C-alpha cells in the first residue's frame, strides 16, 4: 500500500515537470522569428508609385513617412511616375460659391469631385497647368490677380497683383524653368499705344520683372499659352500668317515656330493649340498634328483625322471645333446649338462619340505632390 508521503512526493515532482514544460514553451514562443521588415531604401520606391490620396493618409503612420512624403525630392520622383490625369472645370453656385469640378479621365468623365475655391468668389479663368499645379486668373478693372493651386494636396498661393491701369493683358502663361528648378508665370500686356511688354514672376519672389518688349504685333487665337519643354507657346497671327510664338522660360528669349504644312485651307477659327503626351499638338480643322521634337518644324506629324466632323450631325451645328486631345484617346469637341454651348467626347480609336456635361472649357492636370508654396 502506497503511503501518503509517497503520493505527496510524486505530486511535487509532477508539478515541477509541468512548470519546466511551460517555461520551455514560453521561451520557445518568445524566441520565434519576428515578422519580416522592408529595407528602408525600398519604402520610397513603393510609395512613389501610389496615388496622392493614399500618400496624404500615410503621412500619419509615422514621423519618418511624413518626412519622406513631404520631401521635395520625393515629390519630384512621384511626379515622374504619376499617370493619373484629371480634367478640371470651374463652376459657380448661387453666385456665392466657386467650385472646382474634377473628373477622372480613367472613368470617361463620370467620376466627379467638388472642391470649393480657397479665394473669394469671382470670375476665374484657367491660365494653364504644370506638374499638378493649376494657374488661375481673376481680372479686375485696374488689377489682375493670379493664383497657383494644387487641388490634389489642397495647397494654394496668391501671387503679387499686377496693376493694369490703361493697359490690357493679352496673353498668359505658366510653366517650369528647368534651369533654376522653379516655376514662372508670364503675362503679356499692351498699353494705349499698342506697345507690348512681357512680365515674369518667379515663384518664391514677391515681385514681377519686366523682361523685354514683346517682338510681335499680333492677334491671338488663345490667350493662355501652352507649356512644353521649358517654353510657353501661343498661337498668334500678324494678319498675314498664323504661327506659334514661343518664350523660353530659362533663357527668357523668343522664338517663332511655324505651323505644320497642312494642304487643307482651314478657317482661322478652327485652329487650336494644345499639348498631347508632352508634345505640341496642333488641331487644324479636322486634322490633328503633333511636333514630335520640339523646335524642329520638320517633325510635325499628322496623327489622325477627326472623322466625326464629317458626319451630317456635326455640320448641323452653328459652330463645332476640336479643342484638345485627351490622354485616354478622346478628343474634346465644343459645339453650339440653339445659342447653347456643349461638349462631345470623341474616341478616335474606335470612332465613337458621346455627349458630356461640362460647365465650361476645362483644364487637364496630372496628379502630383508638388506644392506651389515655395
Amino acid at each position: 500500500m502506497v503511503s501518503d508521503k509517497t503520493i505527496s512526493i510524486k505530486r511535487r515532482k509532477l508539478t515541477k515537470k509541468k512548470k519546466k514544460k511551460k517555461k520551455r514553451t514560453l521561451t520557445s514562443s518568445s524566441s520565434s522569428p519576428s515578422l519580416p521588415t522592408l529595407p528602408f531604401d525600398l519604402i520610397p520606391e513603393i510609395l512613389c508609385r501610389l496615388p496622392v490620396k493614399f500618400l496624404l493618409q500615410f503621412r500619419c503612420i509615422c514621423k519618418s513617412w511624413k518626412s519622406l512624403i513631404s520631401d521635395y525630392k520625393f515629390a519630384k520622383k512621384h511626379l515622374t511616375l504619376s499617370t493619373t490625369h484629371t480634367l478640371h472645370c470651374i463652376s459657380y453656385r448661387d453666385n456665392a460659391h466657386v467650385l472646382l469640378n474634377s473628373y477622372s479621365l480613367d472613368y470617361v468623365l463620370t467620376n466627379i469631385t467638388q472642391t470649393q475655391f480657397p479665394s473669394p468668389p469671382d470670375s476665374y479663368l484657367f491660365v494653364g497647368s504644370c506638374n499638378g499645379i493649376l494657374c488661375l486668373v481673376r481680372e479686375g478693372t485696374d488689377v489682375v490677380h493670379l493664383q497657383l493651386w494644387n487641388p490634389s494636396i489642397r495647397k494654394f498661393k496668391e501671387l503679387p497683383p499686377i496693376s493694369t491701369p490703361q493697359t490690357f493683358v493679352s496673353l498668359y502663361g505658366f510653366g517650369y524653368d528647368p534651369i533654376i528648378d522653379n516655376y514662372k508665370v508670364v503675362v503679356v500686356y499692351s498699353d494705349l499705344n499698342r506697345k507690348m511688354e512681357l512680365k515674369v514672376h518667379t515663384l518664391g519672389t514677391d515681385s514681377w520683372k519686366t523682361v523685354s518688349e514683346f517682338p510681335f504685333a499680333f492677334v491671338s487665337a488663345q490667350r493662355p499659352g501652352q507649356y512644353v519643354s521649358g517654353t510657353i507657346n501661343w498661337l498668334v497671327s500678324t494678319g498675314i500668317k498664323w504661327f506659334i510664338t514661343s518664350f523660353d522660360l530659362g533663357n527668357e528669349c523668343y522664338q517663332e515656330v511655324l505651323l505644320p504644312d497642312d494642304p487643307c485651307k482651314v478657317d482661322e477659327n478652327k485652329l487650336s493649340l494644345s499639348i498631347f503626351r508632352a508634345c505640341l499638338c496642333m488641331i487644324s480643322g479636322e486634322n490633328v498634328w503633333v511636333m514630335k521634337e520640339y523646335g524642329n518644324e520638320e517633325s510635325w506629324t499628322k496623327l489622325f483625322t477627326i472623322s466625326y466632323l464629317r458626319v451630317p450631325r456635326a455640320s448641323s451645328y452653328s459652330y463645332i471645333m476640336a479643342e484638345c486631345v485627351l490622354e485616354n484617346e478622346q478628343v474634346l469637341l465644343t459645339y453650339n446649338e440653339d445659342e447653347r454651348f456643349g461638349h462631345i467626347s470623341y474616341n478616335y480609336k474606335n470612332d465613337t462619340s458621346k455627349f458630356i456635361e461640362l460647365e465650361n472649357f476645362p483644364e487637364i492636370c496630372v496628379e502630383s505632390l508638388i506644392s506651389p508654396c515655395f
Side-chain angles (χ1 to χ4, degrees):
M1 187 172 179
V2 181
S3 65
D4 292 341
K5 185 176 180 180
T6 303
I7 293 173
S8 178
I9 291 172
K10 287 184 177 181
R11 282 178 177 173
R12 283 199 299 269
K13 287 182 178 179
L14 185 61
T15 303
K16 286 181 180 179
K17 284 182 180 180
K18 286 183 177 180
K19 286 183 177 180
K20 286 181 179 179
K21 187 177 180 181
K22 187 176 182 181
K23 187 176 181 180
R24 284 197 301 270
T25 304
L26 289 172
T27 306
S28 171
S29 63
S30 63
S31 61
S32 62
S34 60
L35 292 173
T37 57
L38 288 171
F40 184 78
D41 292 343
L42 190 58
I43 293 175
E45 295 298 323
I46 296 173
L47 294 182
C48 68
R49 288 165 170 78
L50 298 180
V52 169
K53 65 178 181 179
F54 294 136
L55 294 175
L56 297 181
Q57 296 171 3
F58 291 167
R59 291 183 303 180
C60 303
I61 290 178
C62 60
K63 289 183 179 179
S64 61
W65 280 33
K66 180 180 180 181
S67 176
L68 171 66
I69 295 170
S70 304
D71 183 69
Y72 179 60
K73 290 182 179 179
F74 177 82
K76 289 181 68 176
K77 183 169 185 177
H78 176 271
L79 174 66
T80 62
L81 299 170
S82 180
T83 57
T84 303
H85 290 78
T86 305
L87 187 146
H88 300 284
C89 286
I90 302 170
S91 68
Y92 303 90
R93 187 177 65 190
D94 304 328
N95 295 322
H97 300 283
V98 184
L99 299 175
L100 185 73
N101 291 344
S102 303
Y103 303 85
S104 171
L105 294 185
D106 297 333
Y107 296 96
V108 197
L109 305 175
T110 53
N111 273 22
I112 179 174
T113 58
Q114 289 190 323
T115 309
Q116 187 162 333
F117 265 56
S119 54
D122 208 331
S123 179
Y124 293 86
L125 298 172
F126 284 121
V127 169
S129 68
C130 180
N131 295 346
I133 302 175
L134 295 170
C135 183
L136 305 107
V137 62
R138 317 183 259 131
E139 296 179 324
T141 305
D142 295 321
V143 66
V144 170
H145 298 274
L146 289 119
Q147 297 93 20
L148 300 179
W149 188 20
N150 184 334
S152 298
I153 59 175
R154 306 293 177 91
K155 293 291 185 180
F156 175 86
K157 184 177 181 64
E158 184 94 23
L159 302 185
I162 305 176
S163 179
T164 58
Q166 297 183 329
T167 60
F168 173 74
V169 177
S170 303
L171 303 173
Y172 293 101
F174 169 61
Y176 172 72
D177 180 353
I179 295 178
I180 63 173
D181 187 23
N182 204 344
Y183 295 83
K184 292 180 177 179
V185 180
V186 176
V187 171
V188 179
Y189 64 95
S190 58
D191 58 21
L192 296 177
N193 298 319
R194 294 191 176 182
K195 179 183 178 182
M196 308 193 73
E197 289 188 330
L198 184 144
K199 285 182 177 288
V200 175
H201 173 81
T202 302
L203 200 57
T205 64
D206 59 359
S207 61
W208 291 81
K209 178 180 71 172
T210 300
V211 174
S212 63
E213 186 173 343
F214 201 71
F216 305 106
F218 63 88
V219 174
S220 173
Q222 298 165 287
R223 294 178 68 195
Q226 302 296 324
Y227 171 79
V228 64
S229 301
T231 65
I232 305 294
N233 300 267
W234 297 279
L235 179 62
V236 299
S237 170
T238 58
I240 301 174
K241 66 173 182 176
W242 285 91
F243 61 97
I244 296 169
T245 296
S246 171
F247 178 73
D248 190 300
L249 292 173
N251 300 321
E252 297 186 343
C253 60
Y254 305 96
Q255 178 185 357
E256 179 180 328
V257 179
L258 297 180
L259 300 183
D261 187 15
D262 193 337
C264 301
K265 298 300 180 182
V266 178
D267 183 350
E268 62 188 36
N269 295 319
K270 298 295 179 67
L271 296 175
S272 177
L273 186 67
S274 60
I275 304 298
F276 179 59
R277 295 178 182 169
C279 294
L280 269 184
C281 178
M282 181 72 204
I283 300 178
S284 176
E286 59 187 37
N287 297 325
V288 177
W289 299 75
V290 292
M291 179 178 271
K292 292 190 173 182
E293 181 185 344
Y294 181 77
N296 181 2
E297 292 153 2
E298 295 181 356
S299 70
W300 280 113
T301 303
K302 184 178 175 180
L303 280 187
F304 58 90
T305 297
I306 306 170
S307 59
Y308 180 85
L309 296 176
R310 298 176 177 175
V311 302
R313 177 64 190 272
S315 60
S316 68
Y317 298 124
S318 60
Y319 169 88
I320 184 168
M321 177 179 174
E323 301 284 1
C324 63
V325 183
L326 307 180
E327 294 291 330
N328 59 347
E329 300 178 344
Q330 307 283 323
V331 179
L332 183 64
L333 305 171
T334 300
Y335 69 90
N336 183 290
E337 185 177 38
D338 298 328
E339 299 184 356
R340 183 183 65 87
F341 279 91
H343 296 88
I344 297 170
S345 176
Y346 168 73
N347 189 307
Y348 60 86
K349 287 290 186 181
N350 57 25
D351 196 27
T352 59
S353 61
K354 59 183 268 186
F355 292 93
I356 56 176
E357 294 291 332
L358 295 177
E359 295 75 14
N360 47 49
F361 188 72
E363 181 69 30
I364 302 166
C365 192
V366 68
E367 184 184 79
S368 85
L369 291 165
I370 303 295
S371 173
C373 304
F374 276 47

